[in-house]
Amino acid sequence: MGRVIVITSGKGGVGKTTTTANLGMALTRLGRTVALIDADFGLRNLDLLLGLENRVVYTALDVLAGDCRLEQALVRDKRQPNLALLPAAQNRNKDAITPDQMRHLAGLLSEKFDYVLIDCPAGIETGFKNAIAPAQEALLVTTPEIAAVRDADRVIGLLEAHGIRKIGLIVNRIRPQMVQSNHMMSVSDVQEILAIPLVGLIPDDERVIISTNRGEPLVLEANLSLPGMAFQNIARRLEGEKVPLLDLDAPYNTLMGRLRRFFSR
């Protein structure tokens, strides 16, 4: 059976869907089969970030209604055939599916794939409860902002109350210069507040926006950018590899910067 991991946050706009898309792609590059479930019914975006929006025919609700088979609803990525997306319905709300139905879908997918990654909607209401229902593990994405961290802290309590004890922290949009000037919380500050294991940190970088708009996850780049490398390293840690965290303080484009990063991979 595959691992079922929900990617969540509490606060919206912190990078959950970008993280889901890149981790899914990164895990397939490591030889794994991956199914992504978009659990954001009514506001799906994962298909856009993967560049698969024009190939969506059926959704998870069509599978549950018996209007198609699961295989028919899965959108296979031509760039990485081991990656498949189960889209959410765009014209229905979050009440259109129940936690038991999410467990059913995730159970079917976990029989066929090494990983099932669930892209959780923002908030802690119905959509959140549906998304975490089948999960054995969680990845909590936050930015180093007080509102996002407070929401993340609330979500940790809810995940634990649901029986999800394996929770990893991803800190997104780190700006080293702002941290150094004491205008942004550091990764250690965030980790101290949330008190869960750090799985990865991702620098703030305009290339994330560009890749999102193009529907091309960063980990598909021939020469990985710094955020692309960060996502790839998180995937390797999920696989059990001991990968040092990136040194975001090192200048990236200098010879010494490149050497430091090369030896820290």
Side-chain angles (χ1 to χ4, degrees), residues 191-230:
Q191 193 178 11
E192 184 177 342
I193 294 170
L194 298 180
I196 57 175
L198 181 65
V199 178
L201 53 89
I202 302 158
D204 192 30
D205 194 307
E206 64 182 17
R207 283 169 289 195
V208 175
I209 299 172
I210 295 170
S211 75
T212 297
N213 289 335
R214 289 179 176 172
E216 297 174 357
L218 287 163
V219 295
L220 292 178
E221 296 172 328
N223 297 310
L224 286 179
S225 60
L226 195 56
M229 201 181 301

Side-chain angles (χ1 to χ4, degrees), residues 15-92:
K16 283 187 306 294
T17 303
T18 301
T19 300
T20 306
N22 277 281
L23 284 186
M25 282 289 185
L27 286 165
T28 61
R29 287 167 60 95
L30 297 175
R32 296 299 188 179
T33 56
V34 181
L36 306 179
I37 300 179
D38 191 336
D40 202 349
F41 287 77
L43 290 172
R44 76 171 188 228
N45 282 315
L46 190 52
D47 56 329
L48 283 172
L49 271 62
L50 291 164
L52 300 176
E53 69 275 12
N54 293 328
R55 297 180 52 209
V56 174
V57 178
Y58 297 107
T59 70
L61 291 185
D62 295 315
V63 178
L64 292 169
D67 293 334
C68 69
R69 289 177 286 106
L70 178 60
E71 279 298 326
Q72 288 177 294
L74 291 176
V75 183
R76 299 276 180 176
D77 192 291
K78 293 180 180 176
R79 299 159 297 188
Q80 292 287 342
N82 285 337
L83 183 85
L85 168 68
L86 181 59
Q90 182 73 346
N91 58 350
R92 302 287 295 276

